[in-house]
Amino acid sequence: MVASLSLPQIMRVGRGAADELGDVLTGLGLSRPLLVTDGFLAGSGAAERLLAALKGAGLHPRLFSGTVPDPTTDSLAPGLTALRAHEADAVIGFGGGSPMDTAKALALLGVQGGHMHDYKAPRVNLGPALPVIAVPTTAGSGSEATQFTVITDSATDEKMLCLGPAFLPLAAVIDVELTMSMPPRLTADTGLDALTHAVEAYVSRKANPFSDSLALTAITTIGRHLHRAYADGADAPAREAMMLAATQAGIAFSNSSVALVHGMSRPIGAHFHVAHGLSNAMLFPAVTAFSVHAAPGRYADCARALGAAPPTDTDAVAAGKLVDALRCLCRDLEVPTPRAYGIDQDAWARLTPLMAEQALASGSPANNPVVPTTDQIQDLYTQIYG
């Protein structure tokens, strides 16, 4: 099988990399970026510092801080207005997965027009689109290095996966200093998101040697550092390791694929407004237990990389230890069940058939070692409710 590989053309990685954002844009011949972020980063002064750096480099930026968690088609409208009014020649996604997803969507719609549902999977979007420069502030989504964006259709509550090179950032600026203020809950959710990316990239039916190497490295790094970053947000080496691992995991799944966890996670986020990393974590142990028998060697490799099994274990034993390790990790990081999170049981049961249909329609479950039926997905939703 020939693997088709895509990465950002430019990556600046390291402490203080954000200070070089202006140089990156200048080097690309860009001058009028729209800085897309959320209200928290705008209010904290972080966005203003980036704007000042861009202006200091002779650029003419404009701020759009109207990003919402789990962006919707409705939330894109004011961003498009700002993009066109500014006559932007680039879009900077500054924040977690939601600002970066928003930036990617605006970059495409600003050139091609239409509606996001026109661009959802299985369509592969080749462009054209405005250049996207991604500056992540969380160690989880990996969106700074992926050719995907996820936007919820405001009319139907469908969380749409949109894919293709048009969504791949032209440049990524990855600075661990931007993650140092993350609270424990966000550290846990984004770290588990990154681990899910790495494991699903490795067990995916579309895995390849390039994505494999990055996925296993990310799993090892997360296994060594996630507990530390969660326990002590000021642990700079742990933060730096998690930031790099999240990007590696993002590159891995962007060049293979995610699978059943993500397929089932998106509808939970769309219907119950659960943060993406947290909804992944709710599903991760149960979906892994459902899938391990179909690829024990692959899951065993993940267990060994995570530090959950020694090299002497058989693949079957090691794969089983991965499931146990994920359960323990979610317990240690206080991942709630949907019930404990406050989701109404009747609403969960009523929406389960629709969520199962939407999960399958996204295409991600087809990459899983076990391709599930609708009934099996419904059973998994019922199992994890708690």
Side-chain angles (χ1 to χ4, degrees):
M1 182 184 72
V2 175
S4 178
L5 307 175
S6 300
L7 290 84
Q9 290 183 23
I10 297 170
M11 298 185 74
R12 300 280 179 99
V13 183
R15 188 176 293 272
D19 295 336
E20 301 182 7
L21 180 60
D23 293 339
V24 170
L25 271 83
T26 300
L28 291 169
L30 303 169
S31 63
R32 299 184 62 81
L34 180 71
L35 180 63
V36 174
T37 191
D38 56 32
F40 173 78
L41 288 169
S44 71
E48 194 58 44
R49 287 193 293 275
L50 273 193
L51 286 173
L54 292 169
K55 291 173 183 175
L59 305 178
H60 304 282
R62 174 172 173 171
L63 177 65
F64 172 71
S65 59
T67 295
V68 300
D70 294 319
T72 65
T73 50
D74 284 351
S75 75
L76 296 178
L80 273 174
T81 299
L83 183 83
R84 290 167 176 153
H86 185 55
E87 298 182 349
D89 61 1
V91 187
I92 300 171
F94 177 49
S98 294
M100 287 190 283
D101 279 355
T102 299
K104 292 177 178 184
L106 294 178
L108 181 75
L109 293 175
V111 174
Q112 296 199 43
H115 303 278
M116 283 308 296
H117 63 71
D118 300 329
Y119 303 103
K120 70 178 184 178
R123 174 171 171 170
V124 177
N125 297 282
L126 303 177
L130 292 174
V132 173
I133 294 84
V135 186
T137 62
T138 64
S141 75
S143 187
E144 67 273 8
T146 74
Q147 50 187 329
F148 303 104
T149 191
V150 179
I151 304 293
T152 298
D153 189 324
S154 299
T156 65
D157 276 341
E158 178 188 2
K159 208 166 186 180
M160 301 178 292
L161 173 65
C162 305
L163 63 127
F167 297 115
L168 181 69
L170 180 62
V173 177
I174 300 155
D175 186 342
V176 65
E177 291 180 359
L178 298 174
T179 73
M180 296 301 292
S181 62
M182 287 169 59
R185 180 73 265 146
L186 184 58
T187 299
D189 294 347
T190 55
L192 288 166
D193 190 22
L195 182 60
T196 308
H197 292 155
V199 171
E200 290 209 305
Y202 191 77
V203 303
S204 165
R205 290 170 177 261
K206 295 181 179 177
N208 57 76
F210 178 84
S211 60
D212 284 352
S213 61
L214 288 165
L216 290 176
T217 299
I219 291 168
T220 297
T221 301
I222 294 167
R224 292 173 179 168
H225 295 95
L226 178 53
H227 276 102
R228 283 174 50 186
Y230 177 70
D232 179 9
D235 186 336
R239 289 288 201 196
E240 192 159 12
M242 287 300 300
M243 190 71 159
L244 181 59
T247 298
Q248 290 171 326
I251 295 172
F253 87 79
S254 182
N255 287 287
S256 57
S257 62
V258 287
L260 180 55
V261 173
H262 276 74
M264 293 181 63
S265 174
R266 295 186 199 103
I268 295 174
H271 294 287
F272 297 106
H273 308 292
V274 179
H276 173 67
L278 181 56
S279 58
N280 276 347
M282 290 173 172
L283 290 156
F284 201 7
V287 171
T288 303
F290 169 78
S291 306
V292 285
H293 72 275
R298 286 258 142 184
Y299 284 106
D301 288 344
C302 294
R304 297 180 187 114
L306 189 64
T312 52
D313 279 349
T314 66
D315 285 351
V317 169
K321 287 184 176 179
L322 176 66
V323 177
D324 293 339
L326 294 179
R327 288 178 177 142
C328 289
L329 183 59
C330 289
R331 182 196 64 218
D332 292 348
L333 301 187
E334 301 181 85
V335 174
T337 63
R339 181 195 297 273
Y341 187 76
I343 295 174
D344 178 74
Q345 186 170 12
D346 289 340
W348 183 267
R350 175 173 51 82
L351 286 168
T352 288
L354 175 60
M355 291 197 298
E357 291 175 7
Q358 291 176 338
L360 272 180
S362 75
S364 297
N367 304 319
N368 204 57
V370 179
V371 179
T373 64
T374 305
D375 287 345
Q376 287 173 320
I377 293 177
Q378 291 190 52
D379 287 343
L380 285 167
Y381 278 131
T382 300
Q383 184 185 139
I384 71 154
Y385 178 76

